[in-house]
Coordinates of all heavy atoms in Angstrom, one line a residue:
G3 N 81.5 11.5 2.0 CA 81.6 11.9 0.7 C 81.3 13.4 0.5 O 81.0 14.1 1.5
Y4 N 81.3 13.8 -0.7 CA 81.1 15.3 -1.0 C 79.7 15.7 -0.5 O 79.6 16.8 0.1 CB 81.2 15.5 -2.5 CG 80.8 16.8 -3.0 CD1 81.7 17.9 -2.8 CD2 79.6 17.1 -3.6 CE1 81.3 19.2 -3.2 CE2 79.3 18.3 -4.0 CZ 80.1 19.4 -3.8 OH 79.7 20.7 -4.2
Y5 N 78.7 15.0 -0.7 CA 77.4 15.4 -0.3 C 77.2 15.3 1.2 O 76.4 16.1 1.7 CB 76.3 14.6 -1.1 CG 76.4 14.8 -2.6 CD1 77.1 13.8 -3.4 CD2 76.0 16.0 -3.1 CE1 77.3 14.0 -4.8 CE2 76.2 16.2 -4.5 CZ 76.8 15.2 -5.3 OH 77.0 15.5 -6.6
D6 N 77.8 14.4 1.9 CA 77.8 14.5 3.3 C 78.4 15.8 3.9 O 77.9 16.4 4.8 CB 78.5 13.3 3.9 CG 77.9 12.0 3.5 OD1 76.7 12.0 3.4 OD2 78.6 11.1 3.3
I7 N 79.5 16.2 3.3 CA 80.2 17.4 3.7 C 79.3 18.6 3.4 O 79.2 19.5 4.2 CB 81.6 17.5 3.0 CG1 82.4 16.4 3.6 CG2 82.2 18.9 3.2 CD1 83.7 16.3 2.8
V8 N 78.7 18.7 2.2 CA 77.8 19.8 1.9 C 76.6 19.8 2.8 O 76.3 20.9 3.3 CB 77.3 19.6 0.4 CG1 76.2 20.6 0.1 CG2 78.5 19.8 -0.5
L9 N 76.1 18.7 3.2 CA 74.9 18.7 4.1 C 75.4 19.2 5.5 O 74.5 19.8 6.2 CB 74.3 17.3 4.3 CG 73.4 16.8 3.1 CD1 73.0 15.4 3.2 CD2 72.2 17.7 2.9
G10 N 76.6 19.0 5.9 CA 77.1 19.4 7.2 C 77.4 20.9 7.1 O 77.2 21.7 8.1
L11 N 77.8 21.3 6.0 CA 78.3 22.8 5.8 C 77.1 23.8 5.7 O 77.2 25.0 5.9 CB 79.2 23.0 4.6 CG 80.6 22.5 4.8 CD1 81.4 22.7 3.5 CD2 81.2 23.3 5.9
I12 N 75.9 23.3 5.3 CA 74.8 24.2 5.0 C 74.4 24.9 6.4 O 74.3 26.1 6.4 CB 73.6 23.5 4.4 CG1 73.9 23.1 3.0 CG2 72.3 24.3 4.4 CD1 73.0 22.1 2.4
P13 N 74.1 24.1 7.5 CA 73.8 24.9 8.7 C 75.0 25.6 9.4 O 74.8 26.6 10.0 CB 73.3 23.7 9.6 CG 73.8 22.5 9.1 CD 74.0 22.6 7.6
V14 N 76.2 25.1 9.1 CA 77.4 25.7 9.6 C 77.5 27.1 8.9 O 77.8 28.1 9.6 CB 78.6 24.8 9.4 CG1 79.9 25.6 9.7 CG2 78.6 23.7 10.3
A15 N 77.3 27.1 7.6 CA 77.4 28.4 6.9 C 76.3 29.4 7.3 O 76.5 30.5 7.6 CB 77.3 28.2 5.4
L16 N 75.1 28.8 7.4 CA 74.0 29.7 7.8 C 74.1 30.2 9.3 O 74.1 31.5 9.4 CB 72.6 28.9 7.7 CG 71.3 29.8 8.0 CD1 71.2 30.9 7.0 CD2 70.2 28.9 7.8
L17 N 74.4 29.4 10.2 CA 74.5 29.8 11.5 C 75.8 30.5 11.8 O 75.9 31.5 12.6 CB 74.2 28.7 12.5 CG 72.9 28.0 12.4 CD1 72.8 26.8 13.2 CD2 71.7 29.0 12.7
G18 N 76.9 29.9 11.3 CA 78.2 30.4 11.7 C 78.5 31.8 11.1 O 79.1 32.7 11.8
I19 N 78.3 31.9 9.9 CA 78.5 33.2 9.2 C 77.6 34.3 9.8 O 78.0 35.4 10.0 CB 78.3 33.1 7.7 CG1 79.4 32.2 7.1 CG2 78.3 34.3 7.0 CD1 79.3 31.8 5.7
T20 N 76.3 33.9 10.1 CA 75.4 34.9 10.6 C 75.9 35.3 12.1 O 75.9 36.5 12.4 CB 74.0 34.3 10.8 OG1 73.6 34.0 9.5 CG2 73.1 35.3 11.4
A21 N 76.4 34.3 12.8 CA 76.9 34.7 14.1 C 78.1 35.5 14.1 O 78.3 36.5 14.8 CB 77.1 33.4 15.0
A22 N 79.0 35.2 13.2 CA 80.3 35.8 13.0 C 80.1 37.3 12.6 O 80.7 38.3 13.1 CB 81.3 35.1 12.0
L23 N 79.2 37.5 11.6 CA 79.0 38.8 11.2 C 78.2 39.7 12.3 O 78.4 40.8 12.3 CB 78.1 38.8 9.9 CG 78.8 38.3 8.7 CD1 77.8 38.1 7.5 CD2 79.9 39.2 8.3
T24 N 77.4 39.0 13.1 CA 76.8 39.7 14.1 C 77.7 40.2 15.2 O 77.7 41.3 15.7 CB 75.7 38.8 14.8 OG1 74.7 38.5 13.8 CG2 74.9 39.6 15.8
V25 N 78.7 39.3 15.5 CA 79.7 39.6 16.4 C 80.6 40.8 16.0 O 81.0 41.6 16.8 CB 80.6 38.4 16.9 CG1 81.9 38.8 17.6 CG2 79.8 37.3 17.6
V26 N 80.9 40.8 14.6 CA 81.8 41.8 14.1 C 81.0 43.1 14.2 O 81.7 44.2 14.2 CB 82.1 41.4 12.7 CG1 82.8 42.6 12.0 CG2 83.0 40.2 12.6
G27 N 79.7 43.2 14.2 CA 79.0 44.4 14.3 C 78.0 44.7 13.2 O 77.3 45.7 13.3
I28 N 77.8 43.7 12.3 CA 76.8 43.9 11.3 C 75.4 43.5 11.9 O 75.3 42.6 12.6 CB 77.1 43.1 10.1 CG1 78.4 43.5 9.4 CG2 76.0 43.1 9.1 CD1 78.8 42.7 8.3
S29 N 74.4 44.2 11.6 CA 73.1 43.9 12.2 C 72.6 42.6 11.8 O 72.9 42.1 10.6 CB 72.1 45.1 11.8 OG 71.9 44.9 10.4
P30 N 71.8 41.9 12.6 CA 71.2 40.6 12.2 C 70.4 40.6 11.0 O 70.3 39.6 10.2 CB 70.5 40.2 13.5 CG 71.0 40.9 14.5 CD 71.5 42.3 14.0
S31 N 69.8 41.8 10.7 CA 68.9 41.9 9.6 C 69.7 41.9 8.2 O 69.2 41.6 7.2 CB 68.0 43.0 9.6 OG 68.7 44.3 9.6
A32 N 71.0 42.1 8.3 CA 71.9 42.1 7.2 C 72.8 40.8 7.3 O 73.1 40.3 6.1 CB 72.8 43.4 7.2
A33 N 73.0 40.3 8.4 CA 73.8 39.1 8.5 C 73.2 37.9 8.1 O 73.8 36.9 7.5 CB 74.4 39.0 10.0
I34 N 71.8 37.7 8.4 CA 71.1 36.6 8.0 C 71.0 36.3 6.5 O 71.3 35.3 6.0 CB 69.7 36.5 8.7 CG1 69.8 36.5 10.2 CG2 68.8 35.5 8.1 CD1 68.6 36.7 10.9
P35 N 70.7 37.4 5.7 CA 70.7 37.2 4.3 C 72.1 36.8 3.7 O 72.2 36.0 2.8 CB 70.2 38.5 3.8 CG 69.5 39.1 4.8 CD 70.1 38.7 6.1
I36 N 73.2 37.4 4.3 CA 74.5 37.0 3.8 C 74.8 35.5 4.1 O 75.3 34.8 3.3 CB 75.5 38.0 4.4 CG1 75.3 39.4 3.9 CG2 76.9 37.5 4.1 CD1 76.2 40.4 4.7
G37 N 74.5 35.1 5.3 CA 74.7 33.7 5.7 C 73.8 32.7 4.8 O 74.3 31.7 4.5
S38 N 72.6 33.2 4.5 CA 71.7 32.3 3.7 C 72.2 32.2 2.3 O 72.1 31.3 1.5 CB 70.3 32.8 3.8 OG 70.2 34.1 3.2
L39 N 72.8 33.4 1.8 CA 73.4 33.3 0.4 C 74.5 32.3 0.3 O 74.6 31.7 -0.8 CB 73.8 34.7 0.0 CG 72.7 35.7 -0.4 CD1 73.3 37.0 -0.6 CD2 71.9 35.2 -1.6
V40 N 75.4 32.3 1.3 CA 76.5 31.3 1.2 C 75.9 29.9 1.3 O 76.4 29.0 0.6 CB 77.4 31.6 2.4 CG1 78.5 30.5 2.5 CG2 78.0 32.9 2.3
A41 N 74.8 29.7 2.2 CA 74.2 28.3 2.1 C 73.6 28.0 0.9 O 73.7 26.8 0.4 CB 73.2 28.3 3.3
M42 N 72.9 29.0 0.3 CA 72.3 28.7 -1.0 C 73.4 28.4 -2.1 O 73.2 27.6 -3.0 CB 71.4 29.9 -1.5 CG 70.2 30.0 -0.7 SD 69.0 31.3 -1.3 CE 69.9 32.3 -2.4
A43 N 74.5 29.1 -2.0 CA 75.6 28.8 -3.0 C 76.1 27.3 -2.8 O 76.5 26.7 -3.9 CB 76.8 29.8 -2.7
L44 N 76.2 26.9 -1.6 CA 76.7 25.5 -1.4 C 75.6 24.6 -2.0 O 75.9 23.6 -2.6 CB 76.8 25.2 0.2 CG 78.0 25.8 0.8 CD1 77.8 25.6 2.3 CD2 79.2 25.1 0.3
I45 N 74.3 24.9 -1.8 CA 73.3 23.9 -2.4 C 73.3 24.0 -3.8 O 73.2 23.0 -4.5 CB 71.9 24.4 -1.8 CG1 71.8 24.2 -0.2 CG2 70.8 23.6 -2.5 CD1 70.6 24.8 0.4
G46 N 73.4 25.1 -4.3 CA 73.5 25.3 -5.8 C 74.7 24.6 -6.5 O 74.6 24.0 -7.5
H47 N 75.8 24.7 -5.8 CA 77.0 24.0 -6.3 C 76.8 22.5 -6.3 O 77.2 21.7 -7.2 CB 78.2 24.3 -5.4 CG 79.5 23.8 -6.0 ND1 80.0 22.6 -5.7 CD2 80.4 24.3 -6.9 CE1 81.1 22.4 -6.4 NE2 81.4 23.5 -7.1
A48 N 76.2 21.9 -5.2 CA 76.0 20.5 -5.1 C 74.9 20.1 -6.1 O 75.0 18.9 -6.6 CB 75.5 20.1 -3.7
M49 N 74.0 20.9 -6.4 CA 73.0 20.5 -7.3 C 73.3 20.6 -8.8 O 72.9 19.8 -9.6 CB 71.6 21.2 -7.1 CG 70.9 20.9 -5.8 SD 69.5 21.9 -5.4 CE 68.5 21.5 -6.8
F50 N 74.0 21.8 -9.2 CA 74.1 22.0 -10.6 C 75.6 21.9 -11.1 O 75.8 21.5 -12.2 CB 73.6 23.4 -10.9 CG 72.1 23.5 -10.5 CD1 71.8 24.4 -9.5 CD2 71.2 22.9 -11.2 CE1 70.4 24.5 -9.2 CE2 69.8 23.0 -10.9 CZ 69.5 23.8 -9.9
V51 N 76.5 22.2 -10.2 CA 77.9 22.2 -10.7 C 78.5 20.7 -10.6 O 79.0 20.2 -11.4 CB 78.8 23.2 -10.0 CG1 80.2 23.1 -10.3 CG2 78.3 24.5 -10.2
N52 N 78.3 20.2 -9.4 CA 78.8 18.8 -9.1 C 77.5 18.0 -8.8 O 77.4 17.3 -7.8 CB 79.7 18.9 -7.9 CG 80.5 17.6 -7.7 OD1 80.5 16.8 -8.6 ND2 81.2 17.5 -6.7
A53 N 76.7 17.8 -9.8 CA 75.5 17.1 -9.7 C 75.6 15.6 -9.6 O 76.6 15.0 -10.2 CB 74.5 17.5 -10.8
P54 N 74.8 14.9 -8.8 CA 74.9 13.5 -8.7 C 74.3 12.9 -10.1 O 73.3 13.3 -10.5 CB 74.0 13.1 -7.6 CG 73.1 14.2 -7.4 CD 73.8 15.4 -7.9
V55 N 75.0 12.0 -10.8 CA 74.6 11.4 -11.9 C 74.6 9.9 -11.8 O 75.4 9.4 -11.1 CB 75.5 11.8 -13.1 CG1 75.3 13.3 -13.4 CG2 76.9 11.5 -12.8
E56 N 73.7 9.3 -12.6 CA 73.7 7.8 -12.5 C 74.8 7.3 -13.5 O 75.0 7.9 -14.5 CB 72.3 7.3 -13.0 CG 71.2 7.7 -12.0 CD 69.9 7.2 -12.5 OE1 69.9 6.3 -13.4 OE2 68.9 7.6 -12.0
P57 N 75.4 6.2 -13.1 CA 76.4 5.7 -14.1 C 75.7 5.2 -15.3 O 74.6 4.7 -15.4 CB 76.9 4.4 -13.3 CG 76.0 4.1 -12.3 CD 75.2 5.4 -12.0
T58 N 76.4 5.5 -16.4 CA 75.8 5.1 -17.8 C 76.4 3.8 -18.2 O 77.6 3.4 -17.9 CB 76.2 6.2 -18.8 OG1 77.6 6.4 -18.9 CG2 75.5 7.5 -18.4
D59 N 75.6 3.1 -19.0 CA 76.1 1.8 -19.5 C 76.6 2.0 -20.9 O 75.9 2.0 -21.9 CB 74.9 0.8 -19.5 CG 75.3 -0.6 -19.9 OD1 76.5 -0.9 -19.8 OD2 74.4 -1.3 -20.4
E60 N 77.9 2.2 -20.9 CA 78.5 2.4 -22.3 C 79.2 1.2 -22.7 O 80.5 0.9 -22.3 CB 79.5 3.6 -22.2 CG 78.8 4.9 -21.9 CD 79.8 6.1 -21.9 OE1 80.8 5.9 -22.6 OE2 79.5 7.1 -21.3
T61 N 78.7 0.3 -23.5 CA 79.3 -1.0 -23.9 C 80.0 -0.7 -25.2 O 80.8 -1.5 -25.5 CB 78.2 -2.0 -24.1 OG1 77.2 -1.6 -25.1 CG2 77.6 -2.4 -22.7
G62 N 79.7 0.4 -25.9 CA 80.4 0.6 -27.2 C 79.8 -0.1 -28.4 O 80.2 0.1 -29.5
T63 N 78.6 -0.7 -28.3 CA 78.0 -1.4 -29.4 C 76.8 -0.6 -29.8 O 76.2 0.1 -29.0 CB 77.5 -2.8 -29.0 OG1 76.5 -2.7 -28.0 CG2 78.7 -3.7 -28.6
T64 N 76.6 -0.5 -31.1 CA 75.4 0.2 -31.7 C 74.4 -0.8 -32.2 O 73.4 -0.4 -32.8 CB 75.8 1.2 -32.7 OG1 76.5 0.5 -33.7 CG2 76.7 2.3 -32.0
R65 N 74.6 -2.0 -32.1 CA 73.8 -3.1 -32.7 C 72.6 -3.2 -31.7 O 72.7 -3.1 -30.5 CB 74.5 -4.4 -32.8 CG 75.6 -4.4 -33.7 CD 76.3 -5.8 -33.8 NE 76.6 -6.3 -32.4 CZ 77.1 -7.4 -32.1 NH1 77.5 -8.1 -33.2 NH2 77.4 -7.7 -30.9
P66 N 71.4 -3.5 -32.3 CA 70.2 -3.8 -31.4 C 70.4 -5.1 -30.8 O 71.3 -6.0 -31.2 CB 69.1 -3.8 -32.4 CG 69.7 -4.0 -33.7 CD 71.1 -3.5 -33.7
P67 N 69.6 -5.4 -29.7 CA 69.7 -6.7 -29.1 C 69.4 -7.8 -30.1 O 68.6 -7.6 -31.1 CB 68.6 -6.6 -28.0 CG 68.4 -5.2 -27.8 CD 68.7 -4.5 -29.0
I68 N 69.8 -9.0 -29.8 CA 69.6 -10.2 -30.7 C 68.1 -10.5 -30.9 O 67.8 -10.7 -32.1 CB 70.3 -11.4 -30.2 CG1 71.9 -11.1 -30.2 CG2 70.1 -12.7 -31.0 CD1 72.7 -12.1 -29.6
N69 N 67.3 -10.5 -29.9 CA 66.0 -10.9 -30.0 C 65.0 -9.7 -30.2 O 63.8 -9.8 -29.9 CB 65.5 -11.7 -28.8 CG 66.3 -13.0 -28.6 OD1 66.7 -13.6 -29.7 ND2 66.5 -13.4 -27.5
A70 N 65.5 -8.6 -30.7 CA 64.7 -7.5 -30.9 C 63.7 -7.6 -32.0 O 64.1 -8.3 -33.1 CB 65.5 -6.2 -31.0
D71 N 62.6 -7.1 -31.9 CA 61.6 -7.2 -33.1 C 61.8 -6.0 -34.1 O 62.1 -5.0 -33.8 CB 60.2 -7.2 -32.6 CG 59.8 -8.5 -31.9 OD1 60.4 -9.5 -32.3 OD2 59.1 -8.4 -30.9

Side-chain angles (χ1 to χ4, degrees):
Y4 171 76
Y5 297 104
D6 297 326
I7 294 171
V8 169
L9 285 175
L11 284 177
I12 292 168
V14 169
L16 182 59
L17 299 174
I19 291 174
T20 301
L23 290 175
T24 304
V25 168
V26 171
I28 297 176
S29 68
S31 62
I34 291 171
I36 294 170
S38 65
L39 285 174
V40 174
M42 285 185 351
L44 286 168
I45 294 168
H47 188 273
M49 288 177 61
F50 300 113
V51 176
N52 196 8
V55 294
E56 294 182 15
T58 58
D59 184 25
E60 296 182 22
T61 59
T63 62
T64 57
R65 298 181 307 185
I68 295 172
N69 295 329
D71 290 326

